[in-house]
Amino acid sequence: MSPTQPTRELKKGSAELLILSLVDDQARHGYDIARLIEARSGGDLTFHAASLYPLLYRLEARRWIDGRWSVKPGQRRRRLYRITAAGRKVLAERRSGWAAFVRAINRVTGGGRA
Amino acid sequence: MPDWRPEIRRRLASLELPPSRVADLTDELAAHLDDRYRDRLASGEAPDAAERAALVELRDHEVFEREYRWAIDDERRGLTRIVSVVSGLTADLRHAVRALARRPAQTLLVVLTLGAGMAAATTVYAVVDGVVLRPLPYPEADRLVMVGLIYPEQAWRADAPDVQALYGASAADAFDWQAQARAFEDLVPVEQRTLLLPDRGHGPELVDSASVGEGFLELFGATPIFGRSFVPIDFDVASDPVMLISHATWMHRYGGALDAVGRQEAGRTIIGVLEPGFRMPDAVVSRPVEFWGPLRPEDARYEPRGRRSVAVVGRLREGVTLDAARDDIAGVQVRIAEAFPGDYTTPDGRRLSAGVNRLQAQTVGAAARPLYIFLGAALLLFGIACVNAINLLLLRGLDRRGELAVRRALGADRIRLLRGLLVESVSLAAGGGVVGTLLAYGGVELFRWLGPTSVPRLGEVAIDGRVLLASAVVSMGAGVLVGLVPAMRATGRAATSVSFGGEAGFTGAAASGNRLRSTLVGVQVALATVLAVGAGLLFASFVRIQSRDVGFDPERLSAFTMPVKVEGRVSSEQVWDALLAEVRRVPGLDAVAGASDVPYYATTWRPGVGVEGAEPGPILGGYAGFVVTPAYFNAIGARIVDGRGFSTADRAETQPVAIVNATFVRRFFPHRRPVGAPIELETGEGRTDAVIIGVVADIVERRVEDGVRPAVYLPHTQQPWLIGPTVVVRSAREPATLFPELRQAAARFDARLPVLDLSSFDDRADRRLVEPRFRAVLFGAFAAVSLTLAAVGLYSSLAHSVGRRRKELGIRMALGADPRRLFGMVLRQGATVSSLGLVAGLAGAFALTRLLEAFLYGVTAADPITFGVSAVVLLAVSLLAAATPARRAGRTDVAHSLRN
């Protein structure tokens, strides 16, 4: 793994934040979420199906996101996920928590100029 | 597009998911892989490379399984908790049933104990619910009201504080109120009437009917099941008279024939049959109304404003409070009274006002309070039953110490043990609840059968869903509460740190356990005392009512009434004499006489009376006035204590005379002799001056408990305005054998008129005793059951204690203790607990019996004799209960007890 690619621990911890933020503005299906993460992170973050969907199910069980099947004629049915009110609250908390965390780390390590 | 599904399913297989879930996950993953494959193709990769890239998304088996299991376990954890709790409770239930079955006698005792308590509580609650709490069976019943006239100073009922004392109004009042009052959507007059049906083989019959104003049937949601309802033209005085019949009447009198509609009956045409189950509100007419006719405002009978024969019912406008309606109608009435001053002023110058009650409150009236008292008594009984159950469970817990200790030692945690024990106690309570509910069905029937006729809506009382729900909740709750303390005790550390083979280590726990159990027994005795005192007071009242001197001799005395209307040139004296002459032709009569009203019936006439030189001031309820034939006092066995009775010498043309009763004399002639004194009478005919010629000992009016008012008796020859008399006869033979001949005599007099209330005075007396007897019996039953429960509780407690102390007692005996001393010791133990409970109970009874004051006659709420007798009874019962265990203690087999 290259030094700039995040470690597995960091990924797991921030995965929920990533997913929540992506379903905040519109409902998306799993592949969409994975593709967006990959694209927007410039390839630094990737999620395989085997890791992504379990995360989605957990978030769904906690009622932070809401999953619904959507059927288009002639196509396979897909599950679309959107954020819930509770999820929005968690997202806001995590965002500010994450930002604070990053600031703190940078201050301590003195390297924010990446 | 490759098919990803076999590969996906292979990975999901090890997770053991339900098929629907597998399908969902498969679809979702397949869609994902499809997208990945398409994207790869789009970016120029070869198909099999794209396929491989897609499959990489699934990772290898291990990783896949790990990730998915992590998510699924999370989901399952929530569900698992519920499932495990449920399965745990099911196991507990099975264990509980087995444990209870192992000691059937004990189980049965607890179930019956709780069942007795629940039966009492459920029965009385069903009555309270049906009579007081349940809304009336009409649409929007909460807005239904009754409006009537009130006397401003006595506007509120003494026996039901928020209810106004409404009196009947005139039809004109009803229409004025409807026009002027703003608080009501509708106000409709209703008049209770009677209808004379001609002889159909059983003699002419007087039946209950009602005239109802326009809109009445709509107000109560009553529709005919066939035929038609009233239409506006029916209320026109010129149109043909019509009527509706009730469903019961249709079945009973017309055999359910379809041609009943259209038939003529008593000069009216039947136009329809009302739906079954609809009945006139109790507050308007308390008997079932058979025939319903339109109340015609133009009818001459409604013209006089002073004729107050009408009840007025209606509905409040949406959102209007009762207070607002009361203010509204009072204001309207002020205006009406100003327009017609003569009609709304009482003789002593007070203005009549108008008031409103909710129909439900008007119906329930005074019935609520005694029912609540009964409910209180029933709950006391239930409390005793619960305390008994607690005690029995405590004893049971002691017996199972060994078993529970072993389970603790094997690692069961306290919560689980507690849960198990609580499941046991709830099962017992459920069993008690079932037993109690079954008994309550019988209880309700009994209540209805024995029940005081003054309780309204008794026909609506039933054990329905509401009552069942309440009783289920209470019994479950009781199960938990009753089981809690015994369960805590049984599973506590003190209890379960058993030293096997010795009971010596128990003294600490045993002592406090003993204290608790003794206290509980004491509580039972206290509660039983309260009920016993209550029952004693009611019983004493009943006896006093029954044995009170009623002022006449009811033996073989009978009476009946005929609703004769005296019309035309015939004087009432001639009518009475003619009727009595016919009755005298019946053989075997010792005496025949007539009176306007007789004992055990309400006195309808209230004349004004003035006595020279006596203090003025109104008498509550007024005076009682009677018109009688000369033979009356002799016929009924009343005692003339001064002066003379009426004779044939007292005629219309001679000096007006009067006889007064002893209460009258006490009120107006405390120091002088009344005979010869003049009095002034105000009857319907005007004022007359009369002379008192005699005094009769007090004769009971309607009920013994109501006391006797000052009364004036006048001869029938001097009162020309009468309606039909009540005929009294005393016979040598049994009254019932006379009745057919009396009916024949009445028919000879006028075959068109019905014979009403033909009965013996013994029967009438009995009817008056129904209520006080019922109260005494009900409380007595509660007291008896509670005494039994208390005795059983005391017995169990002592028996158990003696059983546990076998070794100690054996040692004492071995050391030479006198068996009688051991007997005495146990007996004293029981007596101490009971005495303390008794004292507490007497204090409680002293505080609570004032609630019964309204029902007491001849005894005060603190009657010392009753309290004393109750105390003696309780002590006796306690000693009896303690006797057997005490005897067993005295008879301890030394060798046997030392061996164990």
Side-chain angles (χ1 to χ4, degrees):
Chain A
M1 206 183 311
S2 79
T4 53
Q5 272 194 346
T7 62
R8 202 152 146 255
E9 288 73 30
L10 280 176
K11 265 174 73 178
K12 267 269 161 60
S14 54
E16 294 173 353
L17 175 57
L18 291 171
I19 295 174
L20 286 175
S21 65
L22 283 174
V23 294
D24 186 21
D25 55 338
Q26 77 179 74
R28 299 185 194 280
H29 57 77
Y31 184 71
D32 211 8
I33 295 173
R35 200 176 40 81
L36 277 173
I37 292 177
E38 214 179 298
R40 290 191 189 173
S41 70
D44 284 345
L45 299 172
T46 53
F47 275 96
H48 286 113
S51 327
L52 175 66
Y53 288 96
L55 269 172
L56 288 171
Y57 301 148
R58 281 194 100 201
L59 291 177
E60 206 183 350
R62 285 189 221 149
R63 302 239 165 91
W64 292 348
I65 62 178
D66 187 34
R68 245 172 254 184
W69 288 105
S70 129
V71 181
K72 293 218 183 83
Q75 286 191 15
R76 210 193 276 279
R77 61 173 181 154
R78 286 180 177 285
R79 204 130 202 270
L80 289 175
Y81 296 93
R82 88 172 63 234
I83 201 171
T84 64
R88 273 209 190 91
K89 256 189 248 154
V90 173
L91 174 59
E93 279 164 33
R94 293 273 175 100
R95 265 193 181 129
S96 60
W98 182 256
F101 180 64
V102 168
R103 277 199 301 276
I105 295 277
N106 282 340
R107 278 205 293 275
V108 169
T109 59
R113 292 173 289 271
Chain B
M1 188 79 64
D3 188 10
W4 318 105
R5 278 197 285 215
E7 191 57 42
I8 297 172
R9 278 204 211 102
R10 230 192 317 246
R11 300 199 192 213
L12 289 174
S14 60
L15 296 170
E16 290 172 345
L17 296 169
S20 60
R21 199 70 206 287
V22 171
D24 284 347
L25 294 180
T26 309
D27 278 349
E28 202 167 5
L29 280 170
H32 186 111
L33 264 53
D34 279 347
D35 290 337
R36 180 61 80 190
Y37 182 74
R38 254 188 241 118
D39 276 0
R40 289 296 186 145
L41 284 184
S43 61
E45 272 187 41
D48 40 334
E51 196 178 330
R52 273 197 305 274
L55 284 171
V56 162
E57 294 270 353
L58 294 180
R59 309 299 298 276
D60 60 35
H61 270 177
E62 223 185 283
V63 175
F64 187 95
E65 194 177 332
R66 190 171 11 115
E67 298 279 359
Y68 268 81
R69 195 174 285 287
W70 170 72
I72 286 165
D73 280 351
D74 220 30
E75 273 171 48
R76 276 205 188 130
R77 215 167 297 143
L79 202 61
T80 318
R81 215 174 293 139
I82 301 174
V83 169
S84 79
V85 165
V86 168
S87 73
L89 281 177
T90 321
D92 283 338
L93 194 60
R94 256 180 290 137
H95 274 128
V97 170
R98 245 179 288 157
L100 293 174
R102 244 179 271 140
R103 308 183 100 115
Q106 205 181 51
T107 303
L108 198 65
L109 190 60
V110 177
V111 168
L112 286 178
T113 303
L114 288 173
M118 289 260 11
T122 308
T123 304
V124 182
Y125 178 70
V127 175
V128 169
D129 188 58
V131 172
V132 180
L133 299 175
R134 208 181 303 171
L136 295 175
Y138 307 113
E140 293 186 83
D142 55 322
R143 285 198 289 144
L144 289 173
V145 293
M146 178 175 276
V147 181
L149 293 171
I150 57 175
Y151 289 90
E153 290 79 39
Q154 288 155 17
W156 303 91
R157 284 179 70 151
D159 51 5
D162 302 319
V163 180
Q164 293 190 308
L166 301 180
Y167 290 88
S170 65
D173 288 325
F175 298 125
D176 285 338
W177 289 337
Q178 161 79 319
Q180 297 182 35
R182 284 180 308 239
F184 308 94
E185 262 171 28
D186 244 319
L187 281 178
V188 175
V190 184
E191 191 185 5
Q192 181 177 4
R193 310 278 300 267
T194 51
L195 196 65
L196 188 58
L197 294 181
D199 188 351
R200 273 210 192 84
H202 300 287
E205 216 182 324
L206 207 59
V207 296
D208 291 304
S209 69
S211 291
V212 299
E214 201 170 344
F216 177 88
L217 295 173
E218 290 78 356
L219 194 63
F220 290 96
T223 45
I225 51 166
F226 65 96
R228 67 170 177 86
S229 184
F230 296 131
V231 291
I233 197 157
D234 293 323
F235 294 92
D236 189 331
V237 78
S239 62
D240 293 328
V242 295
M243 60 185 182
L244 289 166
I245 55 177
S246 74
H247 192 265
T249 304
W250 179 53
M251 298 304 295
H252 174 63
R253 288 186 193 281
Y254 301 96
L258 290 174
D259 69 342
V261 172
R263 252 192 247 187
Q264 287 283 317
E265 186 75 79
R268 300 161 174 76
T269 312
I270 296 178
I271 57 167
V273 177
L274 288 168
E275 54 194 350
F278 171 72
R279 46 172 291 149
M280 174 75 85
D282 268 355
V284 178
V285 181
S286 53
R287 293 194 299 264
V289 170
E290 299 198 48
F291 297 90
W292 307 66
L295 189 148
R296 296 169 154 183
E298 312 284 297
D299 194 322
R301 73 188 276 120
Y302 301 117
E303 216 181 281
R305 259 180 197 270
R307 189 160 180 283
R308 305 209 159 106
S309 57
V310 150
V312 182
V313 289
R315 188 174 272 132
L316 286 176
R317 269 192 216 285
E318 192 95 49
V320 174
T321 64
L322 190 63
D323 284 326
R326 283 176 172 156
D327 287 334
D328 183 27
I329 204 75
V332 166
Q333 185 59 30
V334 166
R335 290 201 293 279
I336 296 176
E338 268 160 29
F340 301 92
D343 292 307
Y344 297 99
T345 317
T346 64
D348 45 351
R350 294 172 293 155
R351 275 258 176 98
L352 288 174
S353 179
V356 186
N357 285 328
R358 285 196 199 277
L359 196 58
Q360 182 149 358
Q362 178 80 18
T363 308
V364 171
R369 201 141 173 274
L371 286 178
Y372 281 130
I373 293 182
F374 290 151
L375 189 61
L379 289 175
L380 268 182
L381 183 58
F382 184 59
I384 296 176
C386 286
V387 170
N388 213 328
I390 295 179
N391 237 344
L392 289 171
L393 288 177
L394 280 173
L395 295 178
R396 194 185 153 82
L398 281 181
D399 292 336
R400 296 170 73 184
R401 261 178 312 197
E403 169 207 336
L404 291 169
V406 168
R407 288 171 71 186
R408 274 305 277 280
L410 290 177
D413 72 287
R414 191 175 180 193
I415 304 288
R416 280 228 58 181
L417 288 179
L418 264 176
R419 212 175 65 193
L421 289 175
L422 281 177
V423 168
E424 268 182 45
S425 65
V426 169
S427 309
L428 286 169
V434 168
V435 169
T437 306
L438 290 174
L439 287 175
Y441 277 103
V444 167
E445 278 315 305
L446 208 67
F447 203 104
R448 254 207 282 262
W449 184 55
L450 287 177
T453 46
S454 64
V455 175
R457 300 178 79 186
L458 212 49
E460 288 177 51
V461 170
I463 303 197
D464 67 345
R466 276 163 67 120
V467 173
L468 285 173
L469 185 66
S471 99
V473 167
V474 167
S475 75
M476 289 301 144
V480 171
L481 283 172
V482 161
L484 200 59
V485 169
M488 303 279 285
R489 288 229 162 205
T491 59
R493 222 162 321 192
T496 52
S497 57
V498 168
S499 52
F500 285 93
E503 297 175 10
F506 276 107
T507 29
S512 79
N514 266 333
R515 251 203 311 277
L516 176 64
R517 288 202 312 280
S518 305
T519 314
L520 289 176
V521 173
V523 167
Q524 279 183 280
V525 171
L527 295 176
T529 308
V530 172
L531 284 176
V533 169
L537 287 174
L538 289 172
F539 183 71
S541 300
F542 171 69
V543 167
R544 289 230 178 19
I545 291 173
Q546 202 185 30
S547 59
R548 174 114 166 82
D549 176 14
V550 289
F552 73 105
D553 178 10
E555 201 178 318
R556 287 173 294 112
L557 193 67
S558 316
F560 68 91
T561 309
M562 288 189 86
V564 183
K565 279 204 250 286
V566 177
E567 290 159 318
R569 278 179 310 233
V570 183
S571 77
S572 59
E573 183 188 337
Q574 291 174 307
V575 168
W576 281 43
D577 287 342
L579 174 54
L580 292 175
E582 283 299 342
V583 174
R584 282 201 192 90
R585 287 171 56 183
V586 174
L589 298 181
D590 292 339
V592 177
S596 56
D597 286 304
V598 296
Y600 294 131
Y601 271 69
T603 313
T604 46
W605 185 37
R606 291 187 211 155
V609 175
V611 176
E612 207 179 79
E615 333 143 18
I619 290 190
L620 207 59
Y623 305 84
F626 301 87
V627 176
V628 301
T629 62
Y632 178 70
F633 293 120
N634 266 338
I636 66 171
R639 298 187 297 278
I640 303 281
V641 296
D642 196 5
R644 65 171 179 90
F646 295 130
S647 69
T648 45
D650 302 305
R651 312 193 47 74
E653 10 358 309
T654 59
Q655 153 83 299
V657 291
I659 293 178
V660 296
N661 71 355
T663 304
F664 190 101
V665 169
R666 269 198 304 275
R667 177 87 169 73
F668 292 103
F669 297 90
H671 307 297
R672 49 190 176 121
R673 195 162 171 250
V675 175
I679 59 170
E680 205 178 70
L681 295 169
E682 174 134 14
T683 67
E685 304 285 295
R687 278 181 205 240
T688 355
D689 290 311
V691 172
I692 297 178
I693 56 161
V695 178
V696 67
D698 283 341
I699 302 175
V700 71
E701 289 194 47
R702 198 174 81 96
R703 295 192 316 170
V704 170
E705 304 100 284
D706 296 333
V708 177
R709 290 176 291 174
V712 168
Y713 295 82
L714 303 174
H716 79 296
T717 46
Q718 295 178 347
Q719 297 301 320
W721 49 271
L722 304 170
I723 57 171
T726 299
V727 178
V728 289
V729 300
R730 190 183 294 280
S731 58
R733 4 177 208 144
E734 271 300 308
T737 59
L738 270 183
F739 292 168
E741 286 162 82
L742 288 174
R743 280 188 202 278
Q744 282 164 12
R748 282 196 301 270
F749 171 74
D750 188 338
R752 294 163 306 165
L753 294 177
V755 171
L756 304 175
D757 295 326
L758 176 57
S759 57
S760 73
F761 273 86
D762 280 330
D763 286 341
R764 295 177 177 209
D766 218 49
R767 248 177 276 159
R768 294 289 157 237
L769 289 174
V770 164
E771 275 192 49
R773 187 186 6 230
F774 175 76
R775 285 194 287 263
V777 165
L778 188 71
F779 256 81
F782 284 172
V785 174
S786 68
L787 275 176
T788 311
L789 288 176
V792 167
L794 182 59
Y795 169 86
S796 314
S797 199
L798 284 176
H800 197 273
S801 147
V802 165
R804 291 255 144 210
R805 291 164 70 185
R806 229 177 322 148
K807 210 184 232 178
E808 174 208 334
L809 295 171
I811 292 174
R812 287 198 194 210
M813 290 268 278
L815 291 177
D818 183 356
R820 278 177 303 193
R821 288 202 58 198
L822 292 179
F823 175 84
M825 180 180 80
V826 175
L827 205 64
R828 245 198 326 274
Q829 203 182 333
T832 315
V833 171
S834 307
S835 309
L836 290 173
L838 182 62
V839 168
L842 289 173
F846 191 73
L848 290 173
T849 49
R850 86 191 52 202
L851 291 172
L852 292 175
E853 251 161 18
F855 306 131
L856 299 182
Y857 179 82
V859 282
T860 57
D863 183 44
I865 302 180
T866 310
F867 274 73
V869 169
S870 307
V872 168
V873 167
L874 259 127
L875 274 175
V877 168
S878 311
L879 288 176
L880 231 98
T884 314
R887 220 177 348 182
R888 227 180 275 163
R891 293 221 200 100
T892 311
D893 184 337
V894 176
H896 183 89
S897 67
L898 289 178
R899 215 189 324 233
N900 293 9

PDB file of all heavy atoms in Angstrom, chain B residues 496-514:
ATOM      1  N   THR B 496     -31.150 -18.181  50.455  1.00  0.00           N
ATOM      2  CA  THR B 496     -30.558 -19.261  49.676  1.00  0.00           C
ATOM      3  C   THR B 496     -29.160 -19.665  50.136  1.00  0.00           C
ATOM      4  O   THR B 496     -28.561 -20.551  49.583  1.00  0.00           O
ATOM      5  CB  THR B 496     -30.485 -18.879  48.196  1.00  0.00           C
ATOM      6  OG1 THR B 496     -29.828 -17.602  48.110  1.00  0.00           O
ATOM      7  CG2 THR B 496     -31.878 -18.772  47.607  1.00  0.00           C
ATOM      8  N   SER B 497     -28.658 -18.985  51.131  1.00  0.00           N
ATOM      9  CA  SER B 497     -27.373 -19.450  51.623  1.00  0.00           C
ATOM     10  C   SER B 497     -27.659 -20.494  52.687  1.00  0.00           C
ATOM     11  O   SER B 497     -27.609 -20.250  53.881  1.00  0.00           O
ATOM     12  CB  SER B 497     -26.562 -18.287  52.196  1.00  0.00           C
ATOM     13  OG  SER B 497     -27.311 -17.665  53.211  1.00  0.00           O
ATOM     14  N   VAL B 498     -28.038 -21.644  52.178  1.00  0.00           N
ATOM     15  CA  VAL B 498     -28.522 -22.684  53.079  1.00  0.00           C
ATOM     16  C   VAL B 498     -27.365 -23.498  53.617  1.00  0.00           C
ATOM     17  O   VAL B 498     -26.459 -23.848  52.879  1.00  0.00           O
ATOM     18  CB  VAL B 498     -29.472 -23.611  52.298  1.00  0.00           C
ATOM     19  CG1 VAL B 498     -29.773 -24.859  53.080  1.00  0.00           C
ATOM     20  CG2 VAL B 498     -30.730 -22.854  51.960  1.00  0.00           C
ATOM     21  N   SER B 499     -27.422 -23.792  54.867  1.00  0.00           N
ATOM     22  CA  SER B 499     -26.474 -24.774  55.371  1.00  0.00           C
ATOM     23  C   SER B 499     -27.234 -26.089  55.414  1.00  0.00           C
ATOM     24  O   SER B 499     -28.173 -26.254  56.181  1.00  0.00           O
ATOM     25  CB  SER B 499     -25.982 -24.371  56.754  1.00  0.00           C
ATOM     26  OG  SER B 499     -27.072 -24.101  57.595  1.00  0.00           O
ATOM     27  N   PHE B 500     -26.849 -26.982  54.552  1.00  0.00           N
ATOM     28  CA  PHE B 500     -27.608 -28.219  54.440  1.00  0.00           C
ATOM     29  C   PHE B 500     -27.575 -28.996  55.731  1.00  0.00           C
ATOM     30  O   PHE B 500     -26.563 -29.052  56.413  1.00  0.00           O
ATOM     31  CB  PHE B 500     -27.036 -29.084  53.311  1.00  0.00           C
ATOM     32  CG  PHE B 500     -27.424 -28.559  51.969  1.00  0.00           C
ATOM     33  CD1 PHE B 500     -26.582 -27.669  51.291  1.00  0.00           C
ATOM     34  CD2 PHE B 500     -28.629 -28.896  51.387  1.00  0.00           C
ATOM     35  CE1 PHE B 500     -26.958 -27.171  50.059  1.00  0.00           C
ATOM     36  CE2 PHE B 500     -28.990 -28.379  50.170  1.00  0.00           C
ATOM     37  CZ  PHE B 500     -28.155 -27.512  49.498  1.00  0.00           C
ATOM     38  N   GLY B 501     -28.710 -29.583  56.054  1.00  0.00           N
ATOM     39  CA  GLY B 501     -28.747 -30.455  57.220  1.00  0.00           C
ATOM     40  C   GLY B 501     -29.031 -29.712  58.506  1.00  0.00           C
ATOM     41  O   GLY B 501     -29.154 -30.303  59.552  1.00  0.00           O
ATOM     42  N   GLY B 502     -29.125 -28.425  58.464  1.00  0.00           N
ATOM     43  CA  GLY B 502     -29.427 -27.751  59.718  1.00  0.00           C
ATOM     44  C   GLY B 502     -30.302 -26.537  59.475  1.00  0.00           C
ATOM     45  O   GLY B 502     -30.118 -25.800  58.526  1.00  0.00           O
ATOM     46  N   GLU B 503     -31.233 -26.361  60.326  1.00  0.00           N
ATOM     47  CA  GLU B 503     -32.066 -25.169  60.185  1.00  0.00           C
ATOM     48  C   GLU B 503     -31.619 -24.094  61.142  1.00  0.00           C
ATOM     49  O   GLU B 503     -32.229 -23.060  61.242  1.00  0.00           O
ATOM     50  CB  GLU B 503     -33.516 -25.530  60.471  1.00  0.00           C
ATOM     51  CG  GLU B 503     -34.027 -26.535  59.458  1.00  0.00           C
ATOM     52  CD  GLU B 503     -35.421 -26.990  59.783  1.00  0.00           C
ATOM     53  OE1 GLU B 503     -36.032 -26.394  60.668  1.00  0.00           O
ATOM     54  OE2 GLU B 503     -35.874 -27.943  59.161  1.00  0.00           O
ATOM     55  N   ALA B 504     -30.560 -24.416  61.855  1.00  0.00           N
ATOM     56  CA  ALA B 504     -30.142 -23.493  62.892  1.00  0.00           C
ATOM     57  C   ALA B 504     -29.720 -22.156  62.316  1.00  0.00           C
ATOM     58  O   ALA B 504     -29.887 -21.119  62.934  1.00  0.00           O
ATOM     59  CB  ALA B 504     -29.008 -24.099  63.694  1.00  0.00           C
ATOM     60  N   GLY B 505     -29.161 -22.185  61.108  1.00  0.00           N
ATOM     61  CA  GLY B 505     -28.668 -20.937  60.544  1.00  0.00           C
ATOM     62  C   GLY B 505     -29.771 -19.997  60.094  1.00  0.00           C
ATOM     63  O   GLY B 505     -29.521 -18.959  59.515  1.00  0.00           O
ATOM     64  N   PHE B 506     -30.996 -20.336  60.367  1.00  0.00           N
ATOM     65  CA  PHE B 506     -32.088 -19.576  59.778  1.00  0.00           C
ATOM     66  C   PHE B 506     -32.663 -18.496  60.646  1.00  0.00           C
ATOM     67  O   PHE B 506     -33.463 -17.721  60.190  1.00  0.00           O
ATOM     68  CB  PHE B 506     -33.248 -20.525  59.454  1.00  0.00           C
ATOM     69  CG  PHE B 506     -33.043 -21.179  58.141  1.00  0.00           C
ATOM     70  CD1 PHE B 506     -32.691 -22.506  58.064  1.00  0.00           C
ATOM     71  CD2 PHE B 506     -33.165 -20.445  56.985  1.00  0.00           C
ATOM     72  CE1 PHE B 506     -32.489 -23.094  56.847  1.00  0.00           C
ATOM     73  CE2 PHE B 506     -32.976 -21.037  55.771  1.00  0.00           C
ATOM     74  CZ  PHE B 506     -32.629 -22.363  55.695  1.00  0.00           C
ATOM     75  N   THR B 507     -32.320 -18.543  61.889  1.00  0.00           N
ATOM     76  CA  THR B 507     -33.108 -17.710  62.807  1.00  0.00           C
ATOM     77  C   THR B 507     -33.271 -16.280  62.314  1.00  0.00           C
ATOM     78  O   THR B 507     -34.355 -15.710  62.415  1.00  0.00           O
ATOM     79  CB  THR B 507     -32.472 -17.659  64.208  1.00  0.00           C
ATOM     80  OG1 THR B 507     -31.070 -17.829  64.040  1.00  0.00           O
ATOM     81  CG2 THR B 507     -33.033 -18.755  65.080  1.00  0.00           C
ATOM     82  N   GLY B 508     -32.222 -15.732  61.750  1.00  0.00           N
ATOM     83  CA  GLY B 508     -32.355 -14.340  61.297  1.00  0.00           C
ATOM     84  C   GLY B 508     -33.459 -14.193  60.258  1.00  0.00           C
ATOM     85  O   GLY B 508     -34.407 -13.444  60.431  1.00  0.00           O
ATOM     86  N   ALA B 509     -33.308 -15.006  59.208  1.00  0.00           N
ATOM     87  CA  ALA B 509     -34.316 -14.897  58.138  1.00  0.00           C
ATOM     88  C   ALA B 509     -35.682 -15.291  58.655  1.00  0.00           C
ATOM     89  O   ALA B 509     -36.678 -14.662  58.360  1.00  0.00           O
ATOM     90  CB  ALA B 509     -33.909 -15.786  56.983  1.00  0.00           C
ATOM     91  N   ALA B 510     -35.713 -16.355  59.450  1.00  0.00           N
ATOM     92  CA  ALA B 510     -37.010 -16.846  59.922  1.00  0.00           C
ATOM     93  C   ALA B 510     -37.717 -15.788  60.751  1.00  0.00           C
ATOM     94  O   ALA B 510     -38.913 -15.580  60.614  1.00  0.00           O
ATOM     95  CB  ALA B 510     -36.816 -18.110  60.749  1.00  0.00           C
ATOM     96  N   ALA B 511     -36.944 -15.121  61.594  1.00  0.00           N
ATOM     97  CA  ALA B 511     -37.596 -14.143  62.463  1.00  0.00           C
ATOM     98  C   ALA B 511     -38.258 -13.037  61.644  1.00  0.00           C
ATOM     99  O   ALA B 511     -39.413 -12.702  61.859  1.00  0.00           O
ATOM    100  CB  ALA B 511     -36.582 -13.547  63.432  1.00  0.00           C
ATOM    101  N   SER B 512     -37.488 -12.504  60.677  1.00  0.00           N
ATOM    102  CA  SER B 512     -38.101 -11.404  59.924  1.00  0.00           C
ATOM    103  C   SER B 512     -39.219 -11.936  59.034  1.00  0.00           C
ATOM    104  O   SER B 512     -40.217 -11.265  58.816  1.00  0.00           O
ATOM    105  CB  SER B 512     -37.054 -10.669  59.092  1.00  0.00           C
ATOM    106  OG  SER B 512     -36.785 -11.400  57.922  1.00  0.00           O
ATOM    107  N   GLY B 513     -39.063 -13.161  58.559  1.00  0.00           N
ATOM    108  CA  GLY B 513     -40.143 -13.745  57.777  1.00  0.00           C
ATOM    109  C   GLY B 513     -41.401 -13.872  58.615  1.00  0.00           C
ATOM    110  O   GLY B 513     -42.499 -13.549  58.185  1.00  0.00           O
ATOM    111  N   ASN B 514     -41.195 -14.319  59.843  1.00  0.00           N
ATOM    112  CA  ASN B 514     -42.333 -14.444  60.755  1.00  0.00           C
ATOM    113  C   ASN B 514     -43.027 -13.128  60.973  1.00  0.00           C
ATOM    114  O   ASN B 514     -44.251 -13.033  60.981  1.00  0.00           O
ATOM    115  CB  ASN B 514     -41.849 -14.969  62.110  1.00  0.00           C
ATOM    116  CG  ASN B 514     -41.975 -16.477  62.159  1.00  0.00           C
ATOM    117  OD1 ASN B 514     -42.818 -17.038  61.476  1.00  0.00           O
ATOM    118  ND2 ASN B 514     -41.127 -17.112  62.956  1.00  0.00           N
TER     119      ASN B 514
END
